[in-house]
């Protein structure tokens, strides 16, 4: 029984394949944890599909997180009858996304791929993904949301959670998740030169958004597939994975933000909180004017928004505002700022309810997450819409 040494160190994939003489074109990584019942059938199906297409020019790499059911041992024994199978037993490190990257670091192919070990990804779609790569795609994604795609017997709650996660991703990273119909997919192929020498930093189990967000991805093709229900073993999808997904989105968003501008926006936001609280006290407190709470809150919120707009226009986005002089442009920016912040308030309430009522998270943790996401929402959409510079000659680098 022979095992491949697990790569260590930074999560960076070599730009050049380590053994080009092997002639490997495709390296398909299969991350596993307690998948002894499924891995043999998956390997059998994949070799039957890929042998006629690629001959000896592919490899399957099982990366097992030291499973209690000894999946790694069973997979290694399969190597006697499947010579293109390589097995890594990973100890001291765990997580699907990092397992995939460790597999890619050990891979010898020019195209890197991933498929779930539980047979929920139909193996026959692998050939269609490979054909897309042959058509010079940088990334070929198996999608549940295009023609011939779908899910089998998902509950309404799971469908809503999946779509909600996708919508949240579009809000936070429209330039990343907007490029594919199924950014939550874990079934795809990517060219080595599109992600080689890029420092990856995934969280949770959704590595595709990391690949699109940090990679050099130009051409993308999508292939429809129907996501199957698991037949053996237990599902590893829990609410904590969705929390990690949100953290991953926020991390990616922060890594691509103009940091100095965002800091100014956050400082202005804190001044708005002070204005909101002060006005609310003045209007609603029985010791002050004693007006109704709802009316007072509406006035306080609007004054806070106007405060934030004035400071953002004069400080945070000053360079962009200079390119749009005049009262009419300023009024237009104020209206758009109001609308975006109002939508952010609605989003805040929705996120808070989803996390607290559906995912049963602590209300204060849920509120902090919602506030962080909405702050990013407000900043990004105001940057792109409220202060969008439409005068080509006056454009200033961001």
């Amino acid at each position: 029984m022979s095992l491949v040494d697990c790569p260590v160190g930074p999560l960076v994939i070599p730009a050049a394949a380590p053994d080009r003489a092997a002639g490997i074109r495709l390296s398909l990584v299969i991350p596993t944890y307690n998948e002894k019942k499924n891995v043999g059938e998956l390997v059998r199906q994949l070799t039957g599909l890929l042998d006629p297409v690629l001959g000896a020019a592919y490899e399957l790499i099982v990366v097992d997180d030291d499973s209690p059911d000894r999946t790694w041992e069973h997979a290694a024994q399969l190597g006697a009858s499947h010579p293109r199978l390589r097995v890594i037993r990973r100890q001291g490190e765990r997580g699907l996304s990092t397992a995939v990257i460790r597999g890619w670091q050990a891979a010898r192919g020019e195209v890197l791929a991933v498929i779930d070990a539980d047979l929920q990804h139909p193996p026959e779609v692998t050939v269609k993904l490979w054909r897309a790569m042959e058509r010079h795609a940088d990334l070929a994604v198996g999608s549940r949301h295009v023609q011939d795609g779908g899910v089998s017997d998902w509950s309404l709650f799971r469908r809503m959670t999946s779509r909600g996660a996708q919508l949240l991703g579009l809000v936070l990273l429209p330039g990343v998740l907007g490029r594919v119909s199924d950014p939550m997919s874990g079934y795809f192929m990517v060219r080595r030169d599109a992600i080689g020498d890029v420092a990856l930093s995934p969280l949770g189990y959704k590595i595709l958004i990391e690949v699109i967000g940090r990679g050099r991805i130009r051409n993308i093709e999508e292939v429809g597939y129907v996501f199957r229900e698991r037949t053996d073993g237990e599902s590893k999808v829990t609410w904590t994975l969705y929390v990690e997904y949100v953290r991953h989105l926020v991390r990616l968003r922060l890594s691509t933000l103009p940091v100095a501008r965002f800091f100014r926006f956050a400082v202005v936001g804190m001044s708005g909180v002070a204005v909101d609280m002060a006005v609310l006290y003045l209007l609603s407190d029985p010791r002050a004017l004693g007006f109704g709470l709802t009316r007072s809150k509406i006035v306080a919120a609007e004054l806070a928004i106007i405060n934030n707009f004035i400071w953002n226009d004069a400080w945070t986005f000053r360079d962009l505002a200079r390119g749009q002089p005049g009262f009419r442009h300023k009024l237009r920016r104020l209206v758009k700022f109001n609308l975006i912040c109002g939508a952010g308030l609605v989003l805040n309430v929705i996120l808070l309810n989803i996390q607290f009522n559906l995912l049963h998270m602590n209300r204060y943790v849920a509120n902090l997450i919602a506030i962080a996401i909405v702050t990013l929402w407000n900043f990004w959409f105001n940057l792109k819409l409220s202060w969008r510079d439409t005068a080509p000659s006056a454009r200033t680098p961001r």
Side-chain angles (χ1 to χ4, degrees):
M1 180 175 64
S2 177
L3 297 173
V4 176
D5 291 336
C6 183
V8 295
L11 296 172
V12 178
I13 296 156
D19 184 6
R20 291 189 177 184
I24 302 298
R25 300 176 66 193
L26 171 66
S27 296
L28 178 55
V29 169
I30 307 168
T32 61
Y33 185 75
N34 284 343
E35 295 291 354
K36 182 178 179 179
K37 295 180 179 179
N38 294 313
V39 69
E41 177 60 20
L42 176 62
V43 169
R44 185 191 67 79
Q45 290 190 37
L46 287 172
T47 53
L49 290 162
L50 295 176
D51 276 356
V53 176
L54 287 162
Y58 76 94
E59 61 183 356
L60 306 177
I61 305 174
V62 169
V63 182
D64 184 69
D65 280 357
D66 202 20
S67 298
D69 73 352
R70 302 180 75 84
T71 301
W72 56 272
E73 184 177 53
H74 179 67
Q77 292 170 351
L78 296 171
S81 54
H82 297 89
R84 281 171 284 285
L85 175 64
R86 305 166 70 201
V87 180
I88 296 174
R89 179 189 183 186
R90 198 166 68 136
Q91 298 174 287
E93 191 177 35
R94 186 169 292 183
L96 188 146
S97 291
T98 55
V100 174
I101 295 173
R102 293 305 187 195
W104 287 347
Q105 287 178 314
R108 299 172 293 176
E110 294 304 320
V111 172
L112 309 173
V114 59
I115 185 174
D116 281 357
D118 52 18
L119 296 171
Q120 292 184 300
H121 293 154
E124 59 271 17
V125 175
T126 303
V127 176
K128 296 180 180 179
L129 292 172
W130 174 251
R131 296 301 186 201
M133 298 304 292
E134 287 187 316
R135 292 191 294 270
H136 307 293
D138 295 307
L139 175 69
V141 180
S143 174
R144 298 163 293 179
H145 306 314
V146 296
Q147 185 177 356
D148 299 326
V151 295
S152 50
D153 298 318
W154 279 17
S155 66
L156 177 62
F157 172 75
R158 189 172 180 187
R159 290 173 188 264
M160 290 178 61
T161 303
S162 177
R163 281 298 193 177
Q166 182 179 356
L167 178 61
L168 177 60
L170 286 171
V171 167
L172 283 178
L173 289 164
V176 175
L177 279 77
R179 300 186 66 189
V180 292
S181 65
D182 192 0
M184 305 284 282
S185 177
Y187 193 11
F188 61 90
M189 295 184 182
V190 62
R191 293 197 182 279
R192 177 187 290 273
D193 59 16
I195 56 173
D197 290 341
V198 174
L200 300 174
S201 182
L203 274 174
Y205 69 123
K206 296 303 177 186
I207 191 174
L208 178 58
I209 58 175
E210 183 78 4
V211 168
I212 299 175
R214 300 188 192 273
R216 301 175 291 272
I217 308 296
R218 298 179 299 276
N219 302 318
I220 300 176
E221 286 201 32
E222 296 186 282
V223 176
Y225 80 96
V226 176
F227 190 87
R228 300 169 177 170
E229 286 302 302
R230 171 186 281 272
T231 56
D232 284 301
E234 297 181 357
S235 174
K236 300 175 181 68
V237 177
T238 64
W239 73 268
T240 56
L241 293 178
Y242 286 101
V243 173
E244 287 183 335
Y245 168 73
V246 172
R247 289 176 58 207
H248 192 183
L249 289 176
V250 172
R251 176 189 286 183
L252 269 175
R253 178 71 283 162
L254 289 174
S255 72
T256 58
L257 282 177
V259 177
R261 198 190 296 278
F262 180 71
F263 174 77
R264 295 194 294 269
F265 186 84
V267 171
V268 169
M270 287 187 284
S271 77
V273 172
V275 170
D276 186 291
M277 295 293 287
V279 174
L280 185 64
Y281 169 79
L282 178 64
L283 295 181
S284 67
D285 194 279
R287 293 166 294 182
L289 297 178
F291 295 155
L293 180 62
T294 301
R295 286 181 298 165
S296 301
K297 176 58 184 176
I298 291 172
V299 173
E302 182 58 31
L303 288 177
I305 288 174
I306 292 173
N307 167 84
N308 288 4
F309 171 78
I310 291 171
W311 284 108
N312 279 320
D313 204 55
W315 185 37
T316 308
F317 303 108
R318 177 176 55 190
D319 55 331
L320 302 180
R322 283 174 177 168
Q324 307 166 55
F327 177 76
R328 179 183 297 179
H329 284 102
K330 184 182 287 287
L331 181 61
R332 185 179 300 164
R333 293 196 297 273
L334 174 60
V335 171
K336 289 190 286 187
F337 185 80
N338 255 285
L339 291 174
I340 290 169
C341 292
L345 178 60
V346 174
L347 178 62
N348 192 319
V349 173
I350 292 172
L351 290 174
L352 181 61
N353 276 277
I354 289 174
Q355 294 176 94
F356 180 70
N357 293 318
L358 297 182
L359 301 180
H360 307 295
M361 293 173 58
N362 177 277
R363 71 180 67 215
Y364 302 110
V365 172
N367 191 43
L368 284 173
I369 292 174
I371 289 172
I373 291 171
V374 169
T375 299
L376 293 170
W377 157 283
N378 285 340
F379 173 77
W380 191 252
F381 279 92
N382 277 303
L383 172 63
K384 295 300 181 182
L385 298 177
S386 299
W387 278 272
R388 185 178 61 183
D389 191 352
T390 55
S393 61
R395 279 187 182 145
T396 307
R398 287 164 173 74

